[in-house]
Amino acid sequence: MVEFFSTFPEMSKAGLRLFKKTVDGAYRNFSREYGDAIEAVFDPVLYFLVWFEKVLQNSPWPLVILVFLLLIYFGSRSIYLTIGSFVAFILIGYFGMWEDTMSTVSIIGVCTFISIGLGIPIGILMSGSDRARSMVSPVLDIMQTMPSFVYLIPVVMLLGIGKVPGLLAVVIYAIPPIIRLTDLGIREVDKEVLEAADAFGANKRQKLFRVQLPLALPTIFAGINQTIMMALAMVVIASMIGVKGLGQPVLKAIANQYFTMGLLNGLAIVALAIIFDRVSQSYGKRLQQHRAGSRE
Amino acid sequence: MEKDYSSIERVRVSKVKIKIEKLYKIFGPKAKEMTQEVKNGVNKDELLAKYNHVLGLDNINLDIEEQTIQVVMGLSGSGKSTLIRHINRLIEPTEGVVLVDNQDVTKLDKNELLDFRRTRTGMVFQRFGLFPHQNIIDNVQLGLSIKGVEKAESNETAMFWIDKVGLNGFEYKFPNQLSGGMQQRVGLARALANDPDILLMDEAFSALDPLIRSDMQDQLLELQKNLKKTIMFITHDLDEALKLGDQIAILNGGKLVQNGKPEEILLNPADDYVTKFVQDVNRAKVLKVKSIMISNSQGTEGPKVNMNDSIESCLPTILDTRSTLGVVDDQNNIVGSISDKEVASILRNN
Ligand SMILES: Nc1ncnc2c1ncn2[C@@H]1O[C@H](COP(=O)(O)OP(=O)(O)OP(=O)(O)O)[C@@H](O)[C@H]1O
Ligand SMILES: [Mg+2]
C-alpha cells in the first residue's frame, strides 16, 4: 500500500518501448507511403518561394532597396522610418548579409501570405459558429504552446529537410494570432451596426464584406503584425531544417562560438523585425481613423 | 341638427396597415412550452423566478392604421424593442401573427424576408447604427446598394434625402465628424431613401439633447405631412408620445395595457400604471378644446375659439369673459361650446 503512494504506477518499460515503436513505425509507414504525394501538394508554394527569392537576390540591389523604401514610406508615411531603413539596408549589405537577408525576407513574405490566405477564412468561420470556435480554439492553443522543435520532428519525417518543411513549421507557429484576431475583430463589431444591416435586408455575404470585415480590419491587421513577428522569431529554428537565410549563420555562430558573426546576423533580424512591425502597425492605425466615433 | 365633428375630421377611409394578433415572445430554451404557462396566467416575474424564462411579449393585439404614427410607450424592459423588432422580424415570435397589408410576416421564407426588409420597412435606431467606415452619402444609400440599385441612381436618391434632412455639404464627411442630431438625421435619411411604407423608430430621438430632440420631432412631423408613412415610434417620454402619436400604446411587463388617442390616454387611463405615466403632464397644454367641449350647433354670443387649439391657449379668453364660449372648426362652423366649468374640471384632475 505504501509503495502505491511513493512510486507512480508506471507502464512497464517493455510496454512503453513497444508503444513508441508502434506509433513511430505507423507514422514512418504513413510518410513513406504518402510523403511524396503530400510534398507534391506543396510544389506550387515551393516554386513561388524559389522564384520570389531569386527575384530579390538577382535584381540589382539599388533597385530592391528603392522598392522596399517606397513600400515602407507608403505603408508608414514616416520619413524617419524610411531613412532608418535605408541606413539598415546599407549596413546589412556592407557587412555581407544581403543574400541571407533577401532569403529571410522572401520566406517571411511567403509565410505571411499563406497565413493570411488560410487564417482569415478560418477566423471568419470561427466567428460565425460557436461550434467551429470550440473545435479550432484548442488546436490553436496546442500550436502556440507546443515547443516548436517537437512538431519539427513529424514534419521532417514526412517531408525531409528543406524549404517546404521549414515553411510549414513557420506557418504553423505564426498563423494562430491572425486566426484569433480575425475571429475577435468580427465578434467585436458593434451589434447595432450589424442590426442596421439586417434591418435593411443585407444577406450573409453582404454583411460580411460590407460591415464585418471592414470594421474588423484594424484588429485583423494587429493579427497580421503579430504573425509577421512570430514568423521572424521562427527563422532561426527553421534554419535547423534547411531554410536558408539569416538563421543559418546564427546557428553556425552558436556551434563555433563566432560572437561577432552571431551578433551581426542577430542585429539584421532585429532590424527587419522593427521595420516590419512599424510599417504594419502604422498602416493598421490609419485603417482605424474613422472608427473612433462609432461607439459614443 | 347635430353635427358629428369626428366625421369632418376623418376625410379618408382608414385602413389597417399592420395587424398584430395574439403575439407572444418568450426568451429561453423552452419558449414554446412556456407559452402555455403564460396563457394560464403566469406573469413576467413568476416566469423568471419559477422557470428561468423571460417574458418579452404577452398576447399583444394591436391594429395600426395606414399613414398614422403609432407610439409605443412603457418602462425599461416592458418589451417595446421586442415588439418593434417583430414587425420586420429581427426577432422571431414564439407564437402569433404579424400581418402587414394582410401578408403574414412570420411565414415569409428567408429570401422573401430579405426582400420584405429591403422594400417595405425602414428602421431608425437609438444609437443611430451608422456605418463608421463609410461617408454620409454611402450610409444613406445603404438600403439601395443592398438592393443592387445602380450607383448613379442611388447617389441621386441619397443626395435628395440628404438635402431633405438639411445635411447638404456633409455628404463626404464620416459619421464621427457629425453631432448626434446630425447623425440621427443621417439615420432618418437612410431609412427614407429606401422609400418604405413603414418606418420603425426605436427610441430614435432618446439619445439627443432636449432642444435638438424637439427639432427632430418637428422635422419628423413636417416630413410626415407629405410622406404619409405608417410609423411605429418607440419612446419612454410622454411629451414626445403626445406630440407625435396619433395613437399611443402602453406596454407593461410585456402586456399591452392600453391603446388609444392621446386624449383618451390622458382622460381615461386604463389602470394605475398608465395613471402614473400621465400624472405629471400639463393637460391644459396637451389637450385640445375639442376633447372637452360640449358638442352642439346652437352657437353663443361673444368670442369663439378653434376646436383644434389647446385648452391652455384659450384660457385667457375664458378667464376674461367668465362665460360660455362658442367652439368653431377650421371652416368657422359652430361645433360646440366650452365654459370655465369644463376647464376647471380638467385642471383640477391634474
Ligand atoms: N435576446 C434576449 N434574451 C433574453 N431576454 C431578452 C432578450 N432581449 C430582450 N430580453 C428581455 O425582454 C424584455 C423586454 O426587453 P426590451 O428590450 O424589448 O425592452 P424595452 O422596453 O425596449 O426596454 P428599454 O426601454 O430598456 O429599451 C426585457 O426583460 C429583456 O431583458
Ligand atoms: Mg428598447
Side-chain angles (χ1 to χ4, degrees), chain B residues 115-165:
Chain B
D115 204 51
F116 176 82
R117 289 174 181 165
R118 287 173 186 185
T119 53
R120 309 297 304 283
T121 61
M123 198 161 189
V124 185
F125 298 85
Q126 179 170 3
R127 292 188 312 117
F128 323 136
L130 301 179
F131 289 10
H133 58 296
Q134 291 187 348
N135 59 25
I136 300 312
I137 190 164
D138 284 344
N139 263 291
V140 172
Q141 55 191 319
L142 169 68
L144 299 167
S145 74
I146 283 175
K147 273 192 280 196
V149 175
E150 224 178 283
K151 188 82 181 165
E153 189 191 330
S154 74
N155 252 321
E156 199 175 315
T157 313
M159 286 306 245
F160 174 81
W161 285 107
I162 287 173
D163 180 54
K164 266 270 188 224
V165 299

Side-chain angles (χ1 to χ4, degrees), chain A residues 142-161:
Chain A
I142 293 173
M143 282 158 74
Q144 281 187 303
T145 48
M146 177 81 82
S148 33
F149 293 105
V150 176
Y151 60 73
L152 283 183
I153 303 166
V155 170
V156 170
M157 280 169 77
L158 192 64
L159 302 171
I161 278 184

